Structures are given as structure tokens and as C-alpha cells.
Amino acid sequence: MSIEKLQSFLAPNYENFPKGRTIGVVVLRTTQSETIFRTEGTGEPMCRESVQAGVQNTESILRLVMTKRKQVAPERRRGREFLRNHELLYTAPKSDSPCSLNTNAPCEMCVDCFLYGFAAGGEGAQKSRIWTEDAFSVLPSTELIGDRTINAVFETGTMRDEKGNASTALKTSEYIKPGVHFLDIATLKDVTADELRYALGNLLLTTRYGAVSSRVGRMENQILGVFGGISELPSSLELVQGVYDRLIAENVALEHPLNTNALIEATQSVINTWTNKRGISMQLSSEELDALIEDIDRHWSLDEQETFLKRLDESYQPYRQIKQQSTKKGRKNK
Ligand SMILES: [Zn+2]
């Protein structure tokens, strides 16, 4: 029922013009295994940023950063797996192949294209209505990174060359330890109730992040707060700094592994003050948040998934027809 509570910040139907209705979501992302946020083989270092530790604690620390792209790409892929399963990805007009990410040939018609946007294609672009920002680790990166020296494998994929000699080449590999917390803010603009269910379902159902081909990178996402308003929530950096101050005030040991319950409590006490901030109208209570998550789970369950996704897919039908007509007209006039 709590989705009704958000009604004034949701769009009744999909429409092309933004109206400033904003849902803000506070997400805790916790690594459950060793994780590497980088494209394999590129040698790019683990992403970290020097920032102020807290709002009151002004010394600077290096924090790990989970970039926007590292969050959204796996979550979109997750949703698209289900769309593909129910044959709800369309053929891209330009390439004549099924809609796919990162190929410059989006179909411009599927749920993913309408909600997360696309840039390429003939008729211009669709702006994404799911905004994310870089997420920061709560603790300094020095606590959170492990280093492992491994023997480099030969091209055969084994540790021995053709003559049977063992590999002596060493390389080191950095990874993020299990149990590392990132705090994150997601913003959903002018989404419908079903689009909200779709986007949050993707977030809750995605469990693998980082280097795709590796078997590491297990992560759990938890939603700690949902807000409605006419503007964005404070940034994820402000959140992580507020939480850092709070943990110090409560004498929580700032070392890895950090106590998750203490972290959740600190986060909740920081975000509970946000309804006083400009542009933020309401926050779901913890019972309402539980009810929202139950509602999302139900819509994604095996029994209801197909009905849910087909209903969402059909909601874009009037806009697909407008697009097709304008394409035809455009051609006639030439
Ligand atoms: Zn598409």
C-alpha cells in the first residue's frame, strides 16, 4: 500500500515532458566476496578519491569509489535478462538486431530504453530517468583493499610452459575485501509506479558487480530509505560524511570489518533529519518501506513477473505509435 503514499511524486502515465516529481532512494551496498571494480586487463587502478572524512571531522582521507557506470550497467543487464526471457526486447531499426547495450543500436522501444534512456539512433535521444552518482566507502581505502601476489599464467592458461617449467613471473592484484560498505543515493525522476518497481527490482535483484568474467564481485544491496519530493536528496558524499561523524560520536570502532548494524543505525539517524531540507517532502516510515519492498518482491515473483512486465511494456505503446507516425511523415516530406 505504501506505493500510494508516494503517489504525488509518481507520474500517472509515461510522458515525454519532465514535471519535477522526484523519488530519492538511499542504498547500502555491501561486498560479500572479494570484488574488483575495473575492466580486466586494462591495468587501471582501483578507483579512490581524496575527500573530507566527515562534515565535522575535516581531515582528508582516501575513499573507495564505486562509479555510476559500475552500478548501473549490471543493474540494467539484470532487468534486460527478464525482458529477453519474456520477449520484450525489440529489434533495433538501425542494425536489424535485438536491442542491446553498448552497441549504438538501441531499439528505442523497450522498457529499458524508455526508462534508462539511450543516446544513439535516428530520432534523437531519450534521457535517462534513473540518476545515480558515485558511491563512496564509509571507511578509508587503506582498510579495505587487499593485495595478492599471484604467479602469472602462461598463454595455455596453466602455470607451466610447454617444457613443463613453472611460471616465475609474478603479478600483484588489488581487490576490495568482503564486508566493505558503500553508501549510495539513487534518484528517480517522473517515473510511474511500475517503473519504480522495475528500477528498484533491478537494484535488489542484482548480486554481481565488477569484472564480468570473474567469479568474484558478489554484492548485496539494501534500501535504507525512500523519499518523495521536488528535488534531489543530499549527495552520497554528504551522506557518507554525516555517517562518519555519527560513528565517531557513538564510539564505533572505525576499522574493517565495520559493524553493519551500527552503520545502518547511524545512516538512519542521519537520513531521518532530511525531511527538513528544502524540496524533500516526505520519507516512508520503516513499515511503509517494508511494505514497498514486499510489493516489489511480489511483482517480480515467478507468478506475477510476466503480467507485470507486459503491463509495463504496454504502457509505452501510445508513444511508440507517435514515433512511428512521425518517422513516416518525415520520410514523405523529403
Ligand atoms: Zn531497447
Side-chain angles (χ1 to χ4, degrees):
M1 283 299 107
S2 60
I3 234 165
E4 265 92 271
K5 204 79 204 272
L6 292 168
Q7 200 110 53
S8 15
F9 311 101
L10 291 169
N13 333 89
Y14 169 77
E15 47 196 316
N16 282 327
F17 297 100
K19 295 216 170 119
R21 291 162 294 209
T22 308
I23 308 267
V25 182
V26 177
V27 185
L28 171 64
R29 302 176 183 273
T30 311
T31 56
Q32 305 289 320
S33 74
E34 294 175 10
T35 300
I36 302 167
F37 290 137
R38 73 171 122 78
T39 321
E40 283 154 292
T42 57
E44 78 187 82
M46 205 69 81
C47 199
R48 41 198 130 184
E49 205 70 72
S50 176
V51 293
Q52 201 167 296
V55 181
Q56 273 120 48
N57 293 276
T58 56
E59 76 276 21
S60 67
I61 59 171
L62 275 176
R63 284 200 157 98
L64 288 177
V65 180
M66 185 182 182
T67 61
K68 289 178 254 195
R69 208 166 56 85
K70 299 294 180 211
Q71 303 164 31
V72 174
E75 288 161 16
R76 286 183 73 171
R77 273 200 297 273
R78 190 76 180 115
R80 293 167 65 95
E81 284 176 10
F82 295 104
L83 294 179
R84 188 172 299 116
N85 186 26
H86 296 294
E87 296 179 347
L88 296 173
L89 290 177
Y90 295 79
T91 302
K94 271 201 156 175
S95 65
D96 217 26
S97 56
C99 185
S100 54
L101 284 176
N102 308 326
T103 55
N104 273 354
C107 74
E108 308 181 16
M109 285 194 279
C110 70
V111 175
D112 180 78
C113 282
F114 269 99
L115 187 55
Y116 292 89
F118 51 84
E123 294 295 294
Q126 166 82 42
K127 283 222 173 71
S128 176
R129 284 173 290 133
I130 312 293
W131 298 359
T132 48
E133 51 179 301
D134 292 345
F136 293 88
S137 63
V138 179
L139 295 181
S141 65
T142 40
E143 290 275 325
L144 310 178
I145 287 197
D147 230 337
R148 176 160 297 146
T149 307
I150 47 171
N151 286 70
V153 290
F154 288 106
E155 229 173 302
T156 52
T158 70
M159 302 296 292
R160 290 185 181 276
D161 67 9
E162 301 93 276
K163 291 175 192 147
N165 301 318
S167 162
T168 51
L170 297 175
K171 67 175 194 178
T172 53
S173 174
E174 268 190 341
Y175 62 88
I176 301 172
K177 295 174 182 171
V180 169
H181 304 102
F182 292 86
L183 285 170
D184 195 10
I185 308 278
T187 306
L188 291 78
K189 293 267 287 178
D190 293 302
V191 296
T192 63
D194 277 346
E195 287 178 326
L196 175 73
R197 293 179 176 115
Y198 181 81
L200 294 187
N202 287 347
L203 192 122
L204 293 169
L205 291 171
T206 304
T207 50
R208 295 280 168 176
Y209 290 82
V212 179
S213 65
S214 63
R215 280 154 293 179
V216 297
R218 173 105 200 188
M219 180 169 275
E220 193 195 310
N221 297 321
Q222 254 176 295
I223 296 178
L224 299 187
V226 172
F227 293 79
I230 54 162
S231 73
E232 285 188 82
L233 297 178
S235 68
S236 61
L237 180 58
E238 283 172 274
L239 171 59
V240 99
Q241 288 169 331
V243 168
Y244 188 91
D245 287 341
R246 181 78 59 159
L247 290 170
I248 286 186
E250 272 154 33
N251 287 321
V252 177
L254 290 173
E255 55 189 25
H256 182 77
L258 182 61
N259 181 318
T260 303
N261 288 335
L263 172 65
I264 290 176
E265 269 171 40
T267 308
Q268 243 127 23
S269 61
V270 170
I271 66 178
N272 285 344
T273 64
W274 282 358
T275 37
N276 305 325
K277 293 199 195 252
R278 183 176 298 163
I280 303 166
S281 305
M282 57 89 62
Q283 179 186 7
L284 293 187
S285 69
S286 67
E287 294 77 35
E288 288 162 346
L289 178 57
D290 288 346
L292 175 67
I293 289 168
E294 257 169 49
D295 170 296
I296 293 166
D297 283 341
R298 196 178 61 245
H299 279 81
W300 278 101
S301 70
L302 265 184
D303 289 344
E304 294 198 26
Q305 194 183 100
E306 184 169 8
T307 321
F308 162 57
L309 290 175
K310 287 198 164 149
R311 180 176 73 211
L312 177 55
D313 176 74
E314 267 162 35
S315 71
Y316 303 116
Q317 192 51 30
Y319 296 90
R320 294 184 187 123
Q321 280 161 358
I322 291 169
K323 184 171 265 175
Q324 276 159 359
Q325 274 163 10
S326 72
T327 314
K328 270 184 211 150
K329 249 188 233 154
R331 284 194 188 128
K332 226 183 267 170
N333 293 341
K334 268 176 198 164

